Amino acid sequence: MAEYETILFEPGVIARITLNRPDRLNSFTVLMHAELRDALANLGDSRVLVLTGAGRGFCAGQDLNDRAVAPGKAVDLGDTIQSCWNPLIRTLTGLPQPVIARVNGVAAGAGANVALACDIVVAARSAKFIQSFSAIGLIPDSGGTWVLPRLVGQARALGLALMGEPLAAAKAEEWGMIWKAVDDDALDAEVGAIAGKLAALPPLGLAAIKEMLRSSWQYSLDEELERQAGAMRRLGFTEDYREGVAAFLEKRQPSFKGR
């Protein structure tokens, strides 16, 4: 297994990646992007991925010191977005494995939108989500302008993006922005229980659910009905479907192989 400087990678059936720059609230550098990209490409037979941060924060987004801009100098932020942040969001949303964001503390800027790119977000009650872009004259990148209105509606999305005020985890749950907010000392148990449940379910079915839901926005109802028929046809021929039905009828625990 590769040794990394800015992340911790624990492979396995339930893989775990920890952003590991706690002194900088796990803000991203070019090196962290490269190391995370490498880890995500080496998940192997993992069935679930847990993404979290070390220390007191989840992720504070871009480390501005890593692309320090001298006064009066221009910088092409679009290049950073296209080379680093956009590929990360596309990878997280496109992985066949369910991705759980374990938000242990503040998630700010692009760090908040990395969390929201994950499939299930579980946050400690002390955690906060901050769209901190407006304070420096930018827009919510890393998928923010796309995902926020879809999760919380346009009025709340505009308020979050324009005002840049922290949103408490409990309020984020109430608004439907995240799956669940839990007491800080229950965070590990809750994430572990969700990861364990997902790891025991049929992986081909989970991958199909993820792909279908994430892409459904671009289809009409009639088109989606046809896509559903195609997906059900394909999944109905899998060994896992037959195993699931047999286990149900035989009143036993199923054993899914991803075939």
Side-chain angles (χ1 to χ4, degrees), residues 122-137:
V122 182
R125 291 198 190 279
S126 64
K128 293 179 173 59
F129 297 84
I130 312 172
Q131 297 292 328
S132 51
F133 302 91
S134 63
I136 53 174

Side-chain angles (χ1 to χ4, degrees), residues 65-165:
N65 290 312
D66 195 54
R67 62 174 188 207
V69 183
K73 296 289 185 179
V75 62
D76 186 350
L77 298 184
D79 180 66
T80 302
I81 297 300
Q82 291 181 321
S83 63
C84 294
W85 292 104
N86 285 357
L88 173 57
I89 300 303
R90 289 184 177 117
T91 298
L92 289 173
T93 57
L95 285 172
Q97 297 96 333
V99 183
I100 303 169
R102 175 189 174 275
V103 181
N104 52 304
V106 66
N113 295 331
V114 166
L116 298 181
C118 298
D119 302 306
I120 294 179
V121 183
V122 182
R125 291 198 190 279
S126 64
K128 293 179 173 59
F129 297 84
I130 312 172
Q131 297 292 328
S132 51
F133 302 91
S134 63
I136 53 174
L138 300 179
I139 56 94
D141 61 23
S142 304
T145 59
W146 189 92
V147 73
L148 282 172
R150 286 167 168 79
L151 291 175
V152 301
Q154 181 164 293
R156 284 171 170 166
L158 282 166
L160 289 171
L162 292 171
M163 301 294 289
E165 295 178 352

Side-chain angles (χ1 to χ4, degrees), residues 6-259:
T6 64
I7 66 171
L8 302 174
F9 178 40
E10 304 167 56
V13 173
I14 299 173
R16 187 183 183 97
I17 296 176
T18 304
L19 307 178
N20 191 33
R21 300 184 70 227
D23 57 317
R24 299 293 299 172
L25 283 178
N26 304 314
S27 55
F28 270 78
T29 61
V30 171
L31 177 60
M32 181 183 278
H33 273 292
E35 293 187 338
L36 182 54
R37 186 160 53 244
D38 184 78
L40 290 172
N42 288 282
L43 293 176
D45 295 328
S46 298
R47 293 199 176 183
V48 181
L49 170 63
V50 175
L51 179 64
T52 191
R56 61 190 178 89
F58 176 77
C59 177
Q62 174 70 42
D63 187 338
L64 298 181
N65 290 312
D66 195 54
R67 62 174 188 207
V69 183
K73 296 289 185 179
V75 62
D76 186 350
L77 298 184
D79 180 66
T80 302
I81 297 300
Q82 291 181 321
S83 63
C84 294
W85 292 104
N86 285 357
L88 173 57
I89 300 303
R90 289 184 177 117
T91 298
L92 289 173
T93 57
L95 285 172
Q97 297 96 333
V99 183
I100 303 169
R102 175 189 174 275
V103 181
N104 52 304
V106 66
N113 295 331
V114 166
L116 298 181
C118 298
D119 302 306
I120 294 179
V121 183
V122 182
R125 291 198 190 279
S126 64
K128 293 179 173 59
F129 297 84
I130 312 172
Q131 297 292 328
S132 51
F133 302 91
S134 63
I136 53 174
L138 300 179
I139 56 94
D141 61 23
S142 304
T145 59
W146 189 92
V147 73
L148 282 172
R150 286 167 168 79
L151 291 175
V152 301
Q154 181 164 293
R156 284 171 170 166
L158 282 166
L160 289 171
L162 292 171
M163 301 294 289
E165 295 178 352
L167 183 69
K171 183 65 71 172
E173 178 189 9
E174 180 185 327
W175 285 6
M177 197 171 86
I178 67 172
W179 175 245
K180 189 174 289 189
V182 299
D183 292 340
D184 288 28
D185 58 5
L187 182 61
D188 285 334
E190 183 66 26
V191 170
I194 293 172
K197 179 174 182 176
L198 291 172
L201 291 171
L204 297 178
L206 296 183
I209 289 170
K210 178 172 175 175
E211 190 282 325
M212 293 284 291
L213 285 174
R214 285 194 172 278
S215 62
S216 65
W217 298 99
Q218 60 190 293
Y219 297 101
S220 68
L221 174 59
D222 283 343
E223 290 170 330
E224 189 67 8
L225 290 172
E226 290 305 312
R227 290 209 315 146
Q228 290 173 1
M232 292 293 276
R233 180 175 294 111
R234 175 174 59 84
L235 294 168
F237 285 115
T238 63
E239 291 182 20
D240 279 353
Y241 171 68
R242 294 194 293 274
E243 166 65 9
V245 172
F248 175 79
L249 294 175
E250 296 166 9
K251 295 181 173 56
R252 61 174 174 80
Q253 287 298 313
S255 177
F256 298 114
K257 307 298 183 185
R259 297 194 293 264

